[in-house]
Amino acid sequence: MGPRLLEVKNLVTEFRTEDETVKAVNGISFTLHKGEILGIVGESGTGKSVTALSVMQLVKSPGRITEGDMMYNSKKFGTVNLLKLTNEQFRHYRGNEIGMIFQEPMTSLNPVYTCGDQVAEAILLHLKCTAKAARQKTIDLFKEVQLPRPEVMYNTYPHQLSGGQRQRVMIAMAISCNPSILIADEPTTALDVTVEHTILDLLKKLQKERGMSIMFITHDLGVIAELADRVIVMYKGRIVEEGSVWKIFANPQHPYTKGLLACRPPLNRRYHMLPTISDFMITRDDGSMTQSPTTIEQVTSKLLVSPRERLARHKEIYAGEPVLKIKNLQTYFPIRKGIFGRSKQFVKAVDDVSFEVYSGETLGLVGESGCGKTTLGRTILRLIEPTGGEIIYKGNDITRLSRGELRPLRKNLQIIFQDPYSSLNPRITIGESIVEPMRVHHLHEHDSLRKHKAMELLKKVNLDETHFFRYPHEFSGGQRQRICIARALALNPEFIICDESVSALDVSIQAQVLNLLRQLQKEFKFTYIFISHDLSVVKFMSDRMIVMQSGKIVEMGESDSIYANPQTEYTRKLINAIPKGELDDIKKRMVGSEQDS
């Protein structure tokens, strides 16, 4: 290891309200060495992002740092305690010596300024140079972070870029003043696995070339395995385990770490249900958690699906007739119009797609952003009107139905959207959100029965009846997704489309939601189309899988077979991009790092 660059001692960051004081970071100590990549991992609410904001002194009221020291060996000012600096003094360090990449680039970039101007502004603020020199340095940075057409990108606004491109702009801004420390706070959450893979490769390349130290914050230990040298595991504001990436993956000691490792969907095995944190932690009567001596092998060995069980399930499913038939489906979007209003060009979002779905089946739909999978899901429900083709559900061609004829059918065909917060009305309680569709479709005789049904559904998705009277902002992301599932169940549907419904969730919460969907399918005999960019999640959930690229189906078949023997280069790329967290891969990376050094 290199010399100590940052040493945090007994850091406490509190959030005070009228009712209580919450210690989001509760007396943690750690060291970041020069040239090291330190991974900080944990679920949402464990304090990892607050730790990063505390280092940057960006904690907003009612939060404040109440205890601790933060010794930093500055390349310009020598050793200094960052917590003793005034806001004005700290401005010389923030951005200049310690850079930060935030989780959501769209909310971190100003929508009214071009990407180039925003990066150039940071350069002009910290480095003494002319506007012309700042512009050229920005273009050079855009080349370094591998943005296409850097000169054009300079004059492009954030909304005109993809998620991966916006993240590259944020990286360019963070490294613009050649900082000694780069803090990356969940920089790849909700990105496609292929885009995530390229961002991780880019960070490794920049770290090696510039000799930076990186604090990489994430909820996914699979990502940590691809990148980090050492790992800190946080739980309820404290560090519960710390060590080299090899030590953490080969021999985890704390049950919480075991739970985080186990709950990621495996690619080389098939489970009935995914392990969760609760399998490794014991809840006391007072609600607190204590450790369990259970090993990962003891938990997972009970969950394995045998090939015989898998074969029996498929034999039962595919003995019947398809419940949904898609024939030559097309969904085109016009992108340019002639002088008489006629469309000249189209984006072929769904281009001549055909497949069948059987009753009780889960059909996975996987591909990168922009491949057409979400458009296909919404077209099947006619939330987007098709350009051509047939959608035959139980013998009825949905494309030929009027809106009035389609309305009674909608209660049988439901969708769970990607973002639960934007799909819930913030002005009405979650109870009313669940009752409303029952009222629209005249289910149950009166509202008291509908309310009773809604409370039953809340319990069904592992929420409390008292939550009926609360509003969406009072819940976590995983809880909001459960609310959306309860709302979809309110109409007793037969067919549900899950559109990226777990992509932005912590891996531990994701495991709980996936298990819930599995349990509900078993109980109610649902048929699912499960849409995701993450092939490991789709493989866990699905019986068969469709791989889409540029609006077309490039591969279709049994999920395990596609993973074991992908037929196209595109599918192989998707599989190879998944952060697997396997010991052999960690060992190869460590050997490679030693040879490079």
Side-chain angles (χ1 to χ4, degrees), residues 121-224:
E121 182 185 26
I123 294 169
L124 289 168
L125 182 64
H126 292 287
L127 305 178
K128 293 180 179 179
C129 64
T130 63
K132 184 178 179 181
R135 176 186 172 87
Q136 186 56 49
K137 183 171 176 59
T138 300
I139 292 172
D140 291 342
L141 284 165
F142 283 176
K143 290 178 184 176
E144 190 173 2
V145 299
Q146 299 167 16
L147 275 168
R149 307 184 313 281
E151 292 84 0
V152 175
M153 286 292 175
Y154 189 98
N155 297 312
T156 302
Y157 290 89
H159 72 273
Q160 296 175 293
L161 304 182
S162 69
Q165 289 173 331
R166 285 195 292 267
Q167 201 59 279
R168 289 170 190 269
V169 172
M170 284 297 300
I171 294 171
M173 188 184 298
I175 66 173
S176 60
C177 299
N178 199 26
S180 299
I181 298 174
L182 179 64
I183 300 174
D185 183 13
E186 300 268 18
T188 59
T189 298
L191 294 179
D192 290 349
V193 285
T194 48
V195 178
E196 177 182 68
H197 189 72
T198 58
I199 294 293
L200 294 178
D201 283 346
L202 174 61
L203 287 173
K204 284 187 279 190
K205 175 176 175 286
L206 293 171
Q207 184 267 339
K208 184 179 176 183
E209 292 175 352
R210 290 172 170 255
M212 293 184 301
S213 299
I214 296 179
M215 284 173 56
F216 191 93
I217 295 163
T218 181
H219 61 260
D220 190 346
L221 272 164
V223 172
I224 290 291

Side-chain angles (χ1 to χ4, degrees), residues 535-584:
L535 196 141
S536 61
V537 170
V538 170
K539 180 178 176 292
F540 166 73
M541 285 295 295
S542 62
D543 298 291
R544 287 185 302 139
M545 185 189 301
I546 288 174
V547 183
M548 286 190 70
Q549 182 184 25
S550 302
K552 291 182 177 291
I553 293 174
V554 296
E555 195 159 351
M556 178 165 52
E558 204 273 334
S559 301
D560 290 354
S561 299
I562 286 180
Y563 172 70
N565 187 26
Q567 299 299 302
T568 66
E569 184 58 36
Y570 178 71
T571 308
R572 281 191 285 273
K573 184 178 78 166
L574 289 177
I575 293 171
N576 292 335
I578 299 168
K580 299 174 182 66
E582 294 176 355
L583 290 175
D584 288 345

Side-chain angles (χ1 to χ4, degrees), residues 481-539:
Q481 198 59 278
R482 291 169 185 271
I483 293 163
C484 290
I485 293 171
R487 185 178 61 180
L489 298 181
L491 299 177
N492 302 319
E494 299 168 350
F495 195 107
I496 300 177
I497 295 177
C498 304
D499 182 14
E500 297 275 16
S501 52
V502 296
S503 63
L505 300 179
D506 290 350
V507 286
S508 55
I509 304 300
Q510 173 182 280
Q512 294 173 23
V513 173
L514 292 176
N515 286 345
L516 174 63
L517 291 170
R518 271 280 183 88
Q519 290 166 353
L520 293 171
Q521 183 181 44
K522 188 175 181 180
E523 183 176 349
F524 295 105
K525 309 298 182 186
F526 291 139
T527 303
Y528 287 139
I529 289 181
F530 195 91
I531 300 170
S532 179
H533 61 258
D534 188 340
L535 196 141
S536 61
V537 170
V538 170
K539 180 178 176 292

